[in-house]
Amino acid sequence: MDRKIEKKTWSTKRILMITGITAGVLLLTWMVLSVGGKSKLDVDTDRLTISEIKKGPFQEFIPINGTVMPLNTIYVDAPDGGRVEEKYADDGAILKKGDPIIRLSDPDLELQLAGQQTAVTAQQIQMQIAHNDAMNATIQKLQNMADVENTFKDAERVYKLDKDLYAKKAIGLQEFQIAKNTYDYQSQKRKLNKQILSQDTVLVKQSEVQAREQIAQMKGALALMQEKVNDLTVRANVDGQLTSLDAEVGQSKNKGEHLAQIDVLSGFKVRADVEEHYISRVIPGLMAYYTDNDNNNFKLVVKKVDVSVKTTGTFQVDMLFVGPVPKGIRKGQTLQIRLAFSDEVPALLLPRGGFFQQTGGNWIFKLSPDGKTAYKVDIQINRQSPDYFELTSGLKEGDRVITSSYETYGNIEQLVLKK
């Protein structure tokens, strides 16, 4: 007869499965307990940036690129329009004040000058003729006066003689009266001629003064016109280097049109664009620094701030060198400048790194003394520069921290460092 086979409750497979699950739970429990309940992650130290906290001088600054420019630039414009007839200098030429740059021509202006010169010459000739005529008239009046004076003296002599004879009854009244009338007439004539001569002298002087004033005005107009013609030869108004010359022989230039500029070589300034984020902090008097290829340091000071923000989101500042100027710098050269917002002060320095993007500077992974693990510590950061953060709490000199990016760490609280 058939025998019923009883089914086993605890099979070997089932026992092994239960044993494996139990072991896994126990292992997980041990791992959690072994780290005090903190999550951890194994990381390769070759992929980390480990930095040491040090004490040193800290200065808050931003790096900017500055362009070397002449201290002063003088613009050269055309005082009057004209055609370019000749060029005396090219871009880059070193000029002295008064050196010619270009010569323009303006036939109308030159014709006006010739006409004015002719008018002045004609007026001078006319003045000379008038002066000669006046002198001749004066001579004639003087001759008349001499004749009148002579006749008067004869009449006076006869009158005095007849008066004495009449008093002695040597001559009659009629003869005496004739002598007296002649004397009175010649006296009045003498007085009238003196008055005419005096007025003539005044009129001649007035005419000469007016003529001289008229000549002077015409000469003044002639001088102005001559100056305008002379200005057709455009000259350097200061010592310096000619740049941006825009004139070719045969070109026509309008009055006031820009022709060139002269860079005064007595010094340099540095012009830089600064992000508008710093517009409230950049003021005249701020210090800046430049280090050349030989590690020589140079100081600059902000002299001018243009607070109008450009479409690029920047505003301009002009800086001047304080003390020595770097040797060999040239116009247009780009300098890497450090624009300082503070003086150098001693501080705990935390090197900048990618960690800041995830932590906001509120915490950081600090290495254990044996360097095998790293754990979170809270920190406080004050100011920053392109190279360092200024630490105020959370770390001390000599501590080592991870400053590379924490992007892949998530909520991990402890790192196990593997080499």
Side-chain angles (χ1 to χ4, degrees):
M1 67 181 273
D2 295 334
R3 188 176 61 178
K4 183 178 181 181
I5 301 174
E6 295 182 1
K7 190 175 183 180
K8 293 182 180 180
T9 304
W10 294 96
S11 63
T12 301
K13 184 177 180 181
R14 186 175 183 184
I15 291 172
L16 290 175
M17 183 178 67
I18 293 174
T19 301
I21 292 173
T22 302
V25 171
L26 291 174
L27 179 61
L28 180 61
T29 301
W30 177 83
M31 291 177 63
V32 171
L33 292 177
S34 65
V35 296
K38 296 181 180 179
S39 57
K40 64 179 182 178
L41 178 68
D42 291 347
V43 292
D44 188 348
T45 55
D46 291 337
R47 298 182 180 181
L48 302 178
T49 301
I50 299 175
S51 305
E52 183 178 348
I53 305 300
K54 296 181 180 180
K55 282 185 178 180
F58 175 83
Q59 185 177 51
E60 185 182 11
F61 68 90
I62 57 172
I64 55 177
N65 288 327
T67 302
V68 177
M69 303 181 66
L71 190 60
N72 291 306
T73 297
I74 307 300
Y75 293 96
V76 180
D77 299 330
D80 285 288
R83 181 178 181 272
V84 179
E85 294 291 340
E86 191 172 359
K87 287 176 62 176
Y88 301 104
D90 294 314
D91 261 1
I94 304 299
L95 303 177
K96 293 291 185 181
K97 183 177 180 180
D99 286 349
I101 301 174
I102 63 171
R103 180 173 64 84
L104 303 172
S105 65
D106 184 347
D108 292 338
L109 184 60
E110 293 168 355
L111 185 61
Q112 291 176 19
L113 174 63
Q116 186 68 15
Q117 288 173 330
T118 302
V120 170
T121 301
Q123 186 65 26
Q124 287 175 323
I125 294 173
Q126 187 63 36
M127 177 182 172
Q128 187 63 45
I129 293 173
H131 175 74
N132 292 338
D133 290 344
M135 290 299 295
N136 292 332
T138 300
I139 291 172
Q140 185 63 45
K141 290 182 176 66
L142 288 172
Q143 290 176 346
N144 292 339
M145 185 65 200
D147 293 341
V148 168
E149 190 71 31
N150 186 59
T151 304
F152 168 75
K153 288 180 179 180
D154 285 343
E156 183 182 32
R157 180 181 58 79
V158 172
Y159 167 69
K160 289 181 178 180
L161 179 61
D162 286 358
K163 182 179 179 181
D164 185 58
L165 293 174
Y166 176 72
K168 295 178 179 180
K169 306 296 184 177
I171 60 173
L173 176 61
Q174 185 176 0
E175 187 177 354
F176 170 68
Q177 192 64 45
I178 292 173
K180 183 177 182 301
N181 290 343
T182 302
Y183 169 73
D184 289 341
Y185 170 74
Q186 293 298 331
S187 178
Q188 289 294 327
K189 189 176 181 180
R190 176 174 176 264
K191 182 179 179 180
L192 179 61
N193 273 268
K194 282 186 175 182
Q195 185 176 355
I196 291 173
L197 187 60
S198 176
Q199 289 177 346
D200 179 72
T201 302
V202 172
L203 289 174
V204 169
K205 287 183 178 180
Q206 288 179 346
S207 297
E208 288 183 351
V209 169
Q210 290 175 354
R212 288 193 184 97
E213 289 178 349
Q214 187 175 6
I215 291 293
Q217 291 176 354
M218 294 181 70
K219 285 184 175 180
L222 176 62
L224 289 175
M225 195 165 293
Q226 183 67 60
E227 185 178 348
K228 293 179 71 175
V229 171
N230 292 340
D231 286 344
L232 290 174
T233 300
V234 181
R235 300 177 181 274
N237 42 16
V238 293
D239 295 350
Q241 185 176 26
L242 181 68
T243 60
S244 305
L245 179 61
D246 182 17
E248 297 297 335
V249 174
Q251 276 187 323
S252 293
K253 296 296 181 179
N254 298 320
K255 181 178 180 179
E257 186 174 346
H258 180 65
L259 299 177
Q261 63 188 46
I262 298 176
D263 297 334
V264 180
L265 302 179
S266 59
F268 293 98
K269 64 183 177 182
V270 178
R271 176 167 293 173
D273 290 333
V274 182
E275 293 182 7
E276 62 177 318
H277 171 74
Y278 300 100
I279 196 167
S280 62
R281 303 190 65 187
V282 180
I283 58 174
L286 278 184
M287 300 303 297
Y289 303 90
Y290 165 67
T291 303
D292 65 10
N293 294 332
D294 296 325
N295 289 323
N296 297 314
N297 294 314
F298 300 90
K299 290 184 179 180
L300 302 96
V301 62
V302 175
K303 295 297 290 185
K304 179 182 176 182
V305 179
D306 184 357
V307 295
S308 56
V309 179
K310 298 189 293 185
T311 56
T312 55
T314 59
F315 62 98
Q316 277 188 343
V317 298
D318 285 348
M319 296 169 284
L320 300 181
F321 284 99
V322 178
V325 176
K327 293 182 179 179
I329 64 170
R330 295 288 183 269
K331 174 188 173 183
Q333 183 178 348
T334 300
L335 305 181
Q336 293 183 338
I337 307 293
R338 304 187 304 277
L339 181 60
F341 293 126
S342 70
D343 296 329
E344 282 190 348
V345 294
L348 276 178
L349 303 180
L350 168 60
R352 293 178 66 100
F355 77 95
F356 190 84
Q357 301 298 325
Q358 286 75 42
T359 71
N362 296 313
W363 59 271
I364 198 168
F365 278 114
K366 173 184 174 182
L367 272 67
S368 60
D370 59 10
K372 294 181 178 180
T373 59
Y375 53 92
K376 287 183 177 180
V377 295
D378 292 332
I379 59 173
Q380 187 172 359
I381 290 173
N382 185 16
R383 298 172 297 180
Q384 55 183 294
S385 71
D387 300 318
Y388 296 101
F389 294 107
E390 181 188 25
L391 270 174
T392 55
S393 66
L395 296 169
K396 65 181 184 299
E397 183 180 9
D399 286 344
R400 293 187 299 162
V401 292
I402 298 174
T403 53
S404 49
S405 175
Y406 296 175
E407 186 176 0
T408 59
Y409 295 170
N411 295 322
I412 298 297
E413 296 187 3
Q414 185 173 348
L415 302 177
V416 178
L417 307 184
K418 303 291 184 180
K419 294 185 180 179

